[in-house]
Amino acid sequence: MRSRVAEIASFRLPRGASVSGVVSRLRDSDLFLIALAALAGVAAGLGVVVINMLLEQIRQLVFALPPGEHLSEAADLPPLRVLLMPVLGGALVGLASALLRRWRPRETVDAIEANALFGGRMSVGDSLGLVGVTLLSGGFGASVGLEAAYTQFGAALASRLGRQLGLRRDDVRTLVGCGAAGAIAAAFNAPLAGAFYAFELIIGSYTLHILAPVGIAALTGSLVVRALVGSNPIFVVWHVISISSWDYVAFFVVGLLSAGLGILVMKGVTSTEAAFRREAVPRWARPALGGVVVGIIAFAFPQILGSGHGGILRELHFGFALPYLAGLIVAKIIGSAVSIGSGFRGGLFSSSLFLGSLFGSFLGMVLARLAPHLAADPVVYSLVGMGAVAAAVVGAPVTMIMLVLETTGDFSATMGVMVGVVTAAVAVRHWFGYSFATWRFHLRGLKIHSPEDIGWISEILVGPMMRRDPAVIAASLPSEELRRRFPAGSTKQVFVVDDSGKLSGIIDPAEASAPDRAGADKIVGQLVSGPTPFLLAGDNLRTALTRFSGAAQESLPVIDAVDTRRVIGYLTEAYALRRYASELERRRGDRQDDAGIFSPTAAEAPTPGTDEGGGLR
């Protein structure tokens, strides 16, 4: 432990000790971080309970849904409400989103982006706005899940807690993972799945240092829900599961097909968004138009409404006829793609689970008809498809394996799911390279392939790194004066300024001394050619490395401002690269003792000149 347990448990200050000193020691304590993680888990669990209560009230009002019944399992919904409520919900979502953009005109930072770029910093106000719009979307029947609201709320509260206490960057990032872990564990009554969701998607690594806080947060989140509303997992399987050796071969094929289906869903979302932009549909009107499509599809396939929790139970316990099942798969794909692409807010976690259960069951039923001697069990294939499609879309393979293990308690089923999940995850990584979350970042121009912390490179500024003794010469001086002051070999670059002191160019003294460029009648300004790249003291290391790559210069001048362009220093590419490498090595070394169980740190660390992780070119 980084501090003594006695110091943490004591309520009295030692003689001569200050409050700030004790707080500083608490920040360095593993036990203090675990206590904060438990608090974050409790807050996340309470948030899930409140969000679910609000969602149930909205659906009772909108669809006349009986208490305790899932929207996607309701068989007798009023047809007129099925047609009109998604449209009304879309109009409300469009209006609410427009008001939020006017009130807070910035993109809401989610937990993955916060941990990758901003050291875990999230806005509670922005997150509450997202939760509200997601409730409207799910409450009025959009084909989306509420997991985005759960994790956003839990992670934002944890982030605020860590920042209020002045925790270190890595500890704030860990608390953000704790909030998300508590939320997912509470939503699915699955602590292991919640913990691994945080490891895989929010923190990006699994180390001994973060094991205890994340595990405690997931456990407390699920215990809060169990204490308040009882144990209610997303699905329960009472079916006797039997798997033959031939099934594992089929599960491999299911995994490959699920990867293709997941990519299709992700592409469908972006294609829908592109279609709305191409037709110049106002942003506020898009959700209502998406609601028209969702309502028409739901009139024939009402199971697409909502996230699909009830639909999963219906599929596992009773099943669907094969022709209807095929149509429902297509309907759910279109419904989810149109809902997200048109501007409804929500996630694809639950929706991909439901779609995967339908797809796996369909493949199992087809196999049972084509090869009855193999005795394929559609329920088992439904579980495999559920995990495989969700892993393909969400990008958290171990989370999906743990979710099936916790909800079924059957190790043989878990082994089968593992084959499909691993196959789907590897195939998507090879064919596509993104999960749904990182794909969305890619479309926004953010080169985030995982939540591994790459934001620190944007916090290292040019000002503290630059040298303050630049070689400067006036453009109006004779070229002979340049060769006298800076003989060939004395320095590599001289920065040329005009009569007002503004930067006007860069000269290499060695090139200026070449016979073809020498001439008594020339002035220094005539030796300058091409545009002059420069840096500002407030630019970060990411910008500097990108500028060096594009300028093909060994050093760049640092100016005070774009309008005055007064040279205040310079930075060399060699030093910038050394600083990048040393900072990266230091951050790896901080976790050298316990990193590596499965962490992308060593395997996927960003390097200058590539798009991986750091996004530099």
Side-chain angles (χ1 to χ4, degrees):
M1 295 294 174
R2 285 173 287 182
S3 67
R4 297 189 302 274
V5 175
E7 291 179 352
I8 303 164
S10 174
F11 291 93
R12 292 183 298 179
L13 293 177
R15 181 173 299 176
S18 64
V19 175
S20 60
V22 173
V23 171
S24 178
R25 284 195 290 273
L26 285 176
R27 290 173 187 154
D28 289 335
S29 167
D30 287 335
L31 291 183
F32 184 60
L33 183 60
I34 291 173
L36 295 179
L39 185 60
V42 170
L46 291 174
V48 169
V49 172
V50 172
I51 291 172
N52 283 339
M53 290 175 58
L54 293 174
L55 179 67
E56 185 174 352
Q57 293 297 318
I58 294 174
R59 286 179 173 175
Q60 288 178 20
L61 177 64
V62 171
F63 290 100
L65 199 66
E69 186 172 0
H70 293 289
L71 182 59
S72 57
E73 68 177 334
D76 54 350
L77 292 174
L80 189 60
R81 296 193 181 217
V82 171
L83 282 171
L84 296 182
M85 288 303 110
V87 182
L88 176 59
L92 292 176
V93 167
L95 176 61
S97 298
L99 292 176
L100 286 172
R101 284 192 297 271
R102 181 182 293 271
W103 176 45
R104 305 178 81 90
R106 58 175 179 254
E107 289 287 341
T108 300
V109 175
D110 72 1
I112 299 176
E113 184 179 356
N115 268 6
L117 296 179
F118 305 113
R121 295 190 297 273
M122 299 177 66
S123 167
V124 175
D126 289 351
S127 299
L128 287 175
L130 177 64
V131 170
V133 177
T134 305
L135 272 172
L136 286 176
S137 300
F140 280 81
S143 192
V144 296
L146 269 291
E147 295 75 29
Y150 301 147
T151 56
Q152 186 74 24
F153 185 70
L157 289 181
S159 174
R160 171 64 64 86
L161 176 63
R163 288 183 291 116
Q164 285 292 107
L165 294 173
L167 298 186
R168 291 186 299 258
R169 180 189 184 97
D170 285 345
D171 289 338
V172 174
R173 294 180 70 252
T174 298
L175 274 186
V176 168
C178 291
I184 292 298
F188 294 95
N189 192 25
L192 285 176
F196 278 93
Y197 179 90
F199 294 142
E200 293 185 286
L201 287 181
I202 308 301
I203 301 176
S205 63
Y206 171 57
T207 68
L208 298 179
H209 172 62
I210 64 175
L211 172 61
V214 172
I216 290 295
L219 182 60
T220 54
S222 62
L223 289 178
V224 165
V225 173
R226 292 179 188 180
L228 295 179
V229 300
S231 178
N232 187 27
I234 182 176
F235 59 88
V236 179
V237 178
W238 297 299
H239 186 77
V240 177
I241 294 176
S242 177
I243 299 177
S244 68
S245 57
W246 284 105
D247 284 321
Y248 288 102
V249 178
F251 295 158
F252 173 77
V253 177
V254 171
L256 290 178
L257 296 176
S258 297
L261 184 63
I263 295 172
L264 177 64
V265 171
M266 291 186 277
K267 287 284 193 178
V269 171
T270 54
S271 297
T272 302
E273 292 177 332
F276 279 115
R277 287 194 299 268
R278 187 169 55 250
E279 298 301 325
V281 178
R283 193 171 178 181
W284 58 266
R286 295 174 188 176
L289 292 179
V292 172
V293 177
V294 171
I296 293 173
I297 298 174
F299 190 77
F301 300 96
Q303 293 84 5
I304 73 162
L305 295 174
S307 61
H309 285 203
I312 293 175
L313 294 172
R314 171 73 171 79
E315 167 58 34
L316 291 176
H317 297 162
F318 305 104
F320 295 99
L322 188 60
Y324 187 84
L325 184 59
L328 183 55
I329 292 171
V330 176
K332 185 62 178 176
I333 293 173
I334 298 175
S336 295
V338 169
S339 294
I340 300 290
S342 64
F344 284 105
R345 300 307 295 262
L348 287 179
F349 193 116
S350 307
S351 295
S352 61
L353 288 173
F354 180 37
L355 179 59
S357 70
L358 298 174
F359 186 61
S361 179
F362 174 80
L363 295 177
M365 292 173 69
V366 170
L367 182 60
R369 293 194 180 189
L370 295 178
H373 61 283
L374 296 179
D377 187 349
V379 173
V380 177
Y381 282 78
S382 182
L383 294 174
V384 175
M386 180 191 307
V389 173
V393 174
V394 178
V398 181
T399 301
M400 303 309 163
I401 296 171
M402 291 295 137
L403 183 61
V404 173
L405 175 61
E406 289 184 282
T407 51
T408 65
D410 191 297
F411 282 96
S412 60
T414 304
M415 293 296 293
V417 170
M418 184 173 68
V419 174
V421 164
V422 171
T423 302
V426 172
V428 168
R429 184 180 180 86
H430 177 71
W431 293 337
F432 193 59
Y434 299 92
S435 65
F436 180 66
T438 56
W439 171 241
R440 304 278 285 175
F441 293 142
H442 169 74
L443 295 177
R444 287 168 49 193
L446 301 174
K447 304 300 183 180
I448 301 175
H449 289 261
S450 79
E452 184 68 18
D453 189 9
I454 59 175
W456 54 266
I457 193 174
S458 298
E459 298 180 0
I460 300 177
L461 301 182
V462 168
M465 290 192 297
M466 71 179 182
R467 294 195 58 170
R468 301 181 181 273
D469 55 343
V472 180
I473 192 169
S476 58
L477 292 176
S479 59
E480 287 297 328
E481 182 65 16
L482 169 68
R483 287 186 283 273
R484 186 186 68 80
R485 291 188 186 181
F486 305 103
S490 61
T491 185
K492 291 186 177 181
Q493 287 177 314
V494 177
F495 307 121
V496 181
V497 297
D498 60 16
D499 293 337
S500 61
K502 287 187 177 182
L503 173 70
S504 60
I506 302 176
I507 291 178
D508 183 347
E511 293 184 3
S513 300
D516 59 334
R517 303 195 68 180
D521 56 340
K522 288 187 177 182
I523 61 174
V524 173
Q526 294 175 321
L527 302 179
V528 176
S529 61
T532 305
F534 57 83
L535 294 168
L536 297 171
D539 287 340
N540 56 46
L541 182 57
R542 179 192 299 274
T543 301
L545 291 175
T546 304
R547 196 73 51 81
F548 277 119
S549 178
Q553 296 280 0
E554 293 186 4
S555 65
L556 290 177
V558 180
I559 63 175
D560 58 346
V562 176
D563 52 349
T564 58
R565 295 172 63 92
R566 186 172 63 85
V567 179
I568 58 175
Y570 69 98
L571 180 67
T572 66
E573 183 179 23
Y575 181 77
L577 289 172
R578 285 200 304 272
R579 179 63 188 275
Y580 174 88
S582 64
E583 185 69 16
L584 182 62
E585 188 66 26
R586 184 184 70 80
R587 291 178 178 274
R588 288 179 179 175
D590 288 343
R591 296 191 298 266
Q592 192 68 34
D593 57 336
D594 59 359
I597 300 177
F598 69 81
S599 169
T601 306
E604 300 181 11
T607 55
T610 72
D611 278 341
E612 289 295 323
L616 302 174
R617 280 184 180 272

